[in-house]
Amino acid sequence: MKVIICGAGQVGFGIAERLAAEQNDVSVIDTSPELIRAVRDTLDVRGFVGHGAHPDVLASAGASEADMIIAVTLFDEVNMVACQVAHSLFNVPTKIARIRSQSYLQTHYMDLFSRDHLPIDVIISPEVEVGEMVMRRIALPGATDVVSFADDKVSMVAIECLEECPVINTPLAQLTELFPDLPSTVVGVSREGKLFIPHSGDQLMAGDLAYVVTTKDQVRRTLGLFGHEEREATRIVIAGGGNIGLYVSRAMEKKQSRTKVKVIENTRERAVALADKLRRTVVLHGSALDQKLLLEADIQHADLMVALTNDDQVNILSSVIAKRLGCRSNLVLINNPTYHDFAKTLGIDAHVNPRSVTISKVLQHVRRGRIRAVHNIQRGAAEVIEAEALETSPLVGPPLSEVEFPDGMRIGAVYRDGAVIKPSGSLKIKPKDRVVIFALESAVRQVEQMFRVSLEFF
């Protein structure tokens, strides 16, 4: 596939890195010579210095032969115009744009992005995507990662196995026997930096990160089985009143729960605007690094500190300070992947990676076959994929025990006619079933092939 990426920032670089690793023909455009130099020196892609919406620059990058354009510059308007030019002049089939301003995304204006107006096939709004992920993490404090699939009926949760975890040192097959009515499947395990697919005879160990697929209504029970029964936060302090902070605050108000939310915003004008837009949320003006202000926000009695500013260092430091002042736990937004590896040693309980969220959304549309959703795991080491089974798929027909699966993949759940089915050796996949699969990087291409329409079908 030939792909043009406009924008070589963290998101653009991450997308280019992932697509290039899968042998796609990738061209990256950015106005910064330094960013393009870094792309050329690091990745097997072509780099072009220029404006991503200019026709001559797009032509040089090969737009006339491109299958897809992904516009993820810092400016919504550049992204929109790049997609318009790619459509009007070069007839690029698939156009993806990152749109951050919520003004463009209001429901009654969505016709703006139709083929007759601004022809954008996929709109990615990082603020909304990250805001939703933050809300899921707040609702399930025992999970390290939470993603929904199959019309929100299936969940994939990443669960840390602590020393007191009841299920460690027990073969996975035995867990199924002990809890036959629990529709949960351990599909992946991360142990000492290595990610692998577990077999029925394998055991979980203290320190493991287990990736578990289950039904949405059984997530809390599954977390409890793993020893995570942390209560949901009722007193929350949010650092950063940007688009994500506002989204989360509004969502908390809409839930009409008893949760008390306070927002700390560094910019006075923004703090005043937040106070006008929010009804039950207390807005404080000042720095999240100011201990006096944190104490004024009653951080010593807070259940959760959620750091959502645009500065990774402010997010990390404010969260560490909050815990030392008595806050029970923290959830931190971290853009720079180099911080992820040692965040836990600094006292960070959980973090959200906006880049990973955006890349996952893009991969969903890059993947061939009937792929409905994709979630990126550990910087591309694995993916959780929701795919629709076709009549020509080798999965359809025989019992799963007779299907030759590639190494590095495991089925977590099957969604059929509104019901979730736990996979077993006797289960037979039917056409139109939606299958949730955990696949290591080496197996992703083979998973794609299993869900593609065969030429023989025609």
Side-chain angles (χ1 to χ4, degrees), residues 37 51 108 127 154-155 270 273 378 393 403 417 437 449:
R37 190 179 303 114
H51 197 290
H108 50 287
E127 284 79 6
V154 175
S155 294
R270 181 65 180 176
Q378 295 188 12
S393 170
V403 178
D417 299 329
I437 297 170
Q449 293 294 333

Side-chain angles (χ1 to χ4, degrees), residues 57-70:
V57 177
L58 286 170
S60 299
S64 58
E65 299 177 347
D67 300 299
M68 177 182 294
I69 182 170
I70 303 170

Side-chain angles (χ1 to χ4, degrees), residues 278-289:
L278 299 169
R279 294 183 178 182
R280 296 188 293 109
T281 302
V282 176
V283 180
L284 302 173
H285 170 237
S287 170
L289 297 175

Side-chain angles (χ1 to χ4, degrees), residues 70-349:
I70 303 170
V72 287
T73 74
L74 295 175
F75 306 100
D76 292 351
E77 291 74 18
V78 173
N79 296 338
M80 291 189 287
V81 173
C83 289
Q84 178 71 69
V85 173
H87 171 79
S88 301
L89 297 184
F90 302 104
N91 199 27
V92 177
T94 304
K95 297 158 288 291
I96 299 175
R98 178 170 66 175
I99 308 292
R100 304 181 71 174
S101 173
Q102 299 305 297
S103 177
Y104 289 121
L105 302 176
Q106 295 180 39
T107 308
H108 50 287
Y109 295 143
M110 288 309 290
D111 190 49
L112 172 67
F113 301 108
S114 66
R115 294 188 69 82
D116 294 331
H117 300 118
L118 274 172
I120 300 175
D121 302 299
V122 182
I123 293 170
I124 299 173
S125 175
E127 284 79 6
V128 173
E129 299 290 339
V130 173
E132 286 292 332
M133 178 163 282
V134 169
M135 289 300 296
R136 289 195 295 268
R137 300 286 282 276
I138 291 174
L140 298 166
T144 304
D145 196 1
V146 187
V147 193
S148 296
F149 297 95
D151 299 336
D152 208 26
K153 297 292 195 303
V154 175
S155 294
M156 189 286 297
V157 288
I159 311 172
E160 186 179 0
C161 299
L162 304 175
E163 289 285 353
E164 60 272 19
C165 178
V167 300
I168 62 173
N169 303 322
T170 305
L172 295 178
Q174 192 172 329
L175 292 178
T176 303
E177 295 171 4
L178 291 171
F179 305 97
D181 63 326
L182 187 67
S184 302
T185 303
V186 180
V187 292
V189 175
S190 179
R191 178 178 298 161
E192 297 178 349
K194 183 182 179 182
L195 192 61
F196 64 93
I197 305 290
H199 299 289
S200 58
D202 290 337
Q203 302 178 10
L204 294 173
M205 299 170 61
D208 285 354
L209 185 65
Y211 292 91
V212 185
V213 174
T214 187
T215 57
K216 183 181 179 181
D217 57 358
Q218 292 292 329
V219 171
R220 290 188 184 277
R221 184 185 170 197
T222 302
L223 286 168
L225 179 65
F226 279 76
H228 287 276
E229 296 180 343
E230 295 90 336
R231 67 180 189 273
E232 190 172 340
T234 57
R235 288 170 293 188
I236 300 174
V237 176
I238 298 175
N243 287 334
I244 301 173
L246 175 60
Y247 184 92
V248 173
S249 301
R250 276 180 166 166
M252 295 303 296
E253 288 189 347
K254 286 180 181 178
K255 284 179 66 177
Q256 296 182 339
S257 64
R258 296 180 180 178
T259 304
K260 296 178 180 179
V261 179
K262 296 178 181 178
V263 178
I264 298 174
E265 169 54 40
N266 196 34
T267 307
R268 181 172 181 79
E269 288 183 8
R270 181 65 180 176
V272 172
L274 286 172
D276 290 338
K277 292 176 181 178
L278 299 169
R279 294 183 178 182
R280 296 188 293 109
T281 302
V282 176
V283 180
L284 302 173
H285 170 237
S287 170
L289 297 175
D290 186 340
Q291 294 193 37
K292 289 183 179 179
L293 187 61
L294 287 171
L295 291 171
E296 185 182 334
D298 206 22
I299 195 69
Q300 65 272 30
H301 298 122
D303 298 313
L304 178 65
M305 167 76 156
V306 185
L308 302 173
T309 77
N310 291 325
D311 190 319
D312 286 351
Q313 295 177 16
V314 170
N315 290 341
I316 293 170
L317 287 173
S318 62
S319 298
V320 171
I321 293 170
K323 283 196 76 172
R324 291 192 175 178
L325 291 175
C327 184
R328 186 160 58 89
S329 61
N330 55 40
L331 173 60
V332 183
L333 187 76
I334 303 179
N335 286 281
N336 192 332
T338 58
Y339 292 146
H340 296 164
D341 296 333
F342 58 84
K344 199 158 192 68
T345 61
L346 294 174
I348 303 302
D349 298 314

